[in-house]
Amino acid sequence: MLNPLNFEAGATPMPADPREIKAAIRAGEITHRAFPYYGFRYGERGVRFTRSDSAFLATLPGHKPEILWRQVDWLAGVLSNRGMPSWLLEVHLGTLARQLSRAVPERSQQYRDLLDASQALGERRRAQISDEAMRTLGRTFASEAGIAPTRLSVGTGALLAAAVADERAGIPNAVTSIEEYFTDRTIFNTRFIDAARATIRRARAA
């Protein structure tokens, strides 16, 4: 049966408990607000896939830790290769765990498995590029792009750095898939594009 949240996701599993489905959708909405990049790049199709992916992740608590991690690691690779650094999934997992715990408190201990997976992704990212380095790269990007250092502009530089962290961790197209968007001359001006490329170079040298 096709996934009712997103027909393009095929038969991707989703929870049977409607409370978990609603919590997964809410978590996706929060993540989209935290990272406007989703909407700018992927539009409504991205919203649908966020819903189905979030609902799929909500089915994982209760499985053996190695099974849960294997699924999270697989999804992190798929998404990063499509322009969504695993930092985004890292943040989403934490949000999802909190939303599920509020919606279904009797399973809150199981949902901690999602927090553990989020932490594992974070540790892998920080082993390549520290949080402070990502923030610094984000601020430098905003300055070089000639943009005010807002959460959006600094976050863009940090996203580029996070893609480099994924590349270092062994995800082959992590940088290519995001660089092609932020260097699109039909969307961004030359100064922005030059700043994006410089950020990638700095992150690779960090």
Side-chain angles (χ1 to χ4, degrees), residues 101-123:
S101 294
R102 290 171 186 165
V104 192
E106 65 269 23
R107 291 195 65 200
S108 59
Q109 191 59 39
Q110 284 187 327
Y111 299 140
R112 289 188 62 84
D113 293 345
L114 297 173
L115 290 175
D116 291 342
S118 173
Q119 182 177 359
L121 286 175
E123 289 172 353

Side-chain angles (χ1 to χ4, degrees), residues 59-82:
T59 69
L60 298 180
H63 286 80
K64 292 181 179 179
E66 60 270 22
I67 294 175
L68 186 148
W69 171 249
R70 189 159 57 242
Q71 292 297 319
V72 167
D73 188 40
W74 167 79
L75 184 58
V78 169
L79 295 177
S80 188
N81 277 316
R82 294 177 180 173

Side-chain angles (χ1 to χ4, degrees), residues 80 160 163-164 167 171-180 200 204:
S80 188
L160 292 165
V164 172
E167 180 183 67
I171 300 177
N173 296 315
V175 172
T176 302
S177 58
I178 197 168
E179 183 179 17
E180 68 183 11
I200 291 169
R204 282 172 168 162

Side-chain angles (χ1 to χ4, degrees), residues 26-92:
R26 279 197 302 274
E29 292 170 348
I30 292 168
T31 304
H32 269 250
R33 288 198 297 271
F35 294 100
Y37 165 69
Y38 280 119
F40 292 150
R41 183 167 186 182
Y42 302 102
E44 187 57 36
R45 186 169 186 263
V47 171
R48 293 196 300 272
F49 270 100
T50 296
R51 289 172 181 163
S52 55
D53 286 348
S54 190
F56 162 68
L57 290 166
T59 69
L60 298 180
H63 286 80
K64 292 181 179 179
E66 60 270 22
I67 294 175
L68 186 148
W69 171 249
R70 189 159 57 242
Q71 292 297 319
V72 167
D73 188 40
W74 167 79
L75 184 58
V78 169
L79 295 177
S80 188
N81 277 316
R82 294 177 180 173
M84 290 163 275
S86 61
W87 179 38
L88 301 176
L89 179 58
E90 173 193 334
V91 173
H92 180 72

